[in-house]
Amino acid sequence: GHHVVGLQDVASHGWLKLDTPRRLRTVAKPGPDGLAVRLEVWRDAAEAAMSRFEPVLPGRAILSPSYPEAPPALAPLERPTPAPCPYAT
Protein backbone atom coordinates (compact mmCIF):
# COMPACT_ATOMS: atom_id res chain seq x y z
CA GLY A 1 0.00 0.00 0.00
CA HIS A 2 0.85 3.64 -0.21
CA HIS A 3 0.77 6.43 2.36
CA VAL A 4 -0.66 9.92 1.98
CA VAL A 5 2.39 12.16 2.37
CA GLY A 6 0.94 15.47 1.27
CA LEU A 7 -2.03 17.45 0.02
CA GLN A 8 -2.05 19.88 -2.90
CA ASP A 9 -4.56 22.12 -4.61
CA VAL A 10 -6.86 22.11 -1.56
CA ALA A 11 -9.61 24.73 -1.86
CA SER A 12 -12.39 25.38 0.64
CA HIS A 13 -15.86 25.93 -0.79
CA GLY A 14 -17.11 27.57 2.41
CA TRP A 15 -17.30 27.02 6.13
CA LEU A 16 -18.25 23.65 7.56
CA LYS A 17 -20.25 24.49 10.67
CA LEU A 18 -20.04 21.67 13.21
CA ASP A 19 -22.49 22.88 15.86
CA THR A 20 -24.57 19.70 15.39
CA PRO A 21 -23.65 16.22 14.14
CA ARG A 22 -23.08 16.28 10.38
CA ARG A 23 -23.04 13.54 7.78
CA LEU A 24 -19.73 13.63 5.89
CA ARG A 25 -18.16 11.45 3.24
CA THR A 26 -14.80 11.34 1.52
CA VAL A 27 -14.41 10.55 -2.17
CA ALA A 28 -11.09 9.51 -3.71
CA LYS A 29 -10.39 8.70 -7.36
CA PRO A 30 -6.98 7.64 -8.72
CA GLY A 31 -5.28 10.10 -11.03
CA PRO A 32 -1.92 10.32 -12.84
CA ASP A 33 -0.24 12.19 -9.97
CA GLY A 34 -2.02 10.98 -6.84
CA LEU A 35 -5.62 10.83 -5.75
CA ALA A 36 -8.31 13.38 -6.53
CA VAL A 37 -9.95 13.69 -3.11
CA ARG A 38 -13.02 15.51 -1.90
CA LEU A 39 -14.76 16.00 1.46
CA GLU A 40 -18.52 16.30 1.10
CA VAL A 41 -21.30 17.24 3.54
CA TRP A 42 -24.94 16.15 3.37
CA ARG A 43 -27.42 18.95 2.78
CA ASP A 44 -31.07 18.39 3.65
CA ALA A 45 -33.40 20.26 1.31
CA ALA A 46 -37.03 21.17 1.88
CA GLU A 47 -37.89 18.78 -0.96
CA ALA A 48 -36.33 15.39 -0.09
CA ALA A 49 -35.46 14.66 -3.74
CA MET A 50 -33.15 17.71 -3.70
CA SER A 51 -31.16 16.56 -0.63
CA ARG A 52 -27.63 15.56 -1.54
CA PHE A 53 -23.94 15.54 -0.65
CA GLU A 54 -22.18 18.77 -1.60
CA PRO A 55 -18.40 19.23 -1.95
CA VAL A 56 -16.76 21.45 0.66
CA LEU A 57 -13.07 20.62 0.36
CA PRO A 58 -11.58 19.22 -2.87
CA GLY A 59 -7.87 18.63 -3.40
CA ARG A 60 -5.22 16.14 -4.37
CA ALA A 61 -3.56 13.59 -2.09
CA ILE A 62 0.09 12.81 -2.85
CA LEU A 63 0.96 9.14 -2.35
CA SER A 64 4.26 7.41 -1.62
CA PRO A 65 5.22 3.82 -0.82
CA SER A 66 7.00 5.13 2.30
CA TYR A 67 6.99 8.15 4.55
CA PRO A 68 9.71 10.76 3.87
CA GLU A 69 12.56 11.41 6.29
CA ALA A 70 11.61 13.65 9.18
CA PRO A 71 12.98 17.19 8.89
CA PRO A 72 15.83 18.15 11.22
CA ALA A 73 14.86 19.52 14.63
CA LEU A 74 14.62 23.30 14.94
CA ALA A 75 17.43 25.10 16.74
CA PRO A 76 16.64 26.18 20.31
CA LEU A 77 15.25 29.70 20.67
CA GLU A 78 17.72 32.39 21.66
CA ARG A 79 16.57 34.21 24.82
CA PRO A 80 12.95 32.96 24.79
CA THR A 81 10.48 35.28 26.52
CA PRO A 82 7.16 34.05 27.95
CA ALA A 83 4.11 35.76 26.49
CA PRO A 84 0.56 35.92 27.84
CA CYS A 85 -2.03 33.65 26.23
CA PRO A 86 -4.00 35.71 23.68
CA TYR A 87 -7.11 33.59 24.37
CA ALA A 88 -7.24 34.16 28.12
CA THR A 89 -10.07 36.44 29.22
Side-chain angles (χ1 to χ4, degrees):
H2 284 70
H3 305 283
V4 175
V5 295
L7 295 172
Q8 291 183 338
D9 305 324
V10 176
S12 175
H13 288 209
W15 291 99
L16 181 56
K17 192 173 181 183
L18 298 174
D19 57 338
T20 59
R22 302 296 301 265
R23 188 173 164 195
L24 302 173
R25 82 173 171 191
T26 54
V27 178
K29 295 183 180 179
D33 53 352
L35 288 175
V37 294
R38 185 172 66 241
L39 177 66
E40 298 178 338
V41 63
W42 181 257
R43 183 180 71 81
D44 284 315
E47 189 175 322
M50 299 298 292
S51 296
R52 64 188 177 277
F53 279 100
E54 293 183 332
V56 291
L57 202 65
R60 210 163 38 90
I62 308 305
L63 303 176
S64 175
S66 61
Y67 289 112
E69 282 285 322
L74 296 173
L77 295 174
E78 294 180 23
R79 299 185 307 276
T81 305
C85 176
Y87 306 108
T89 55

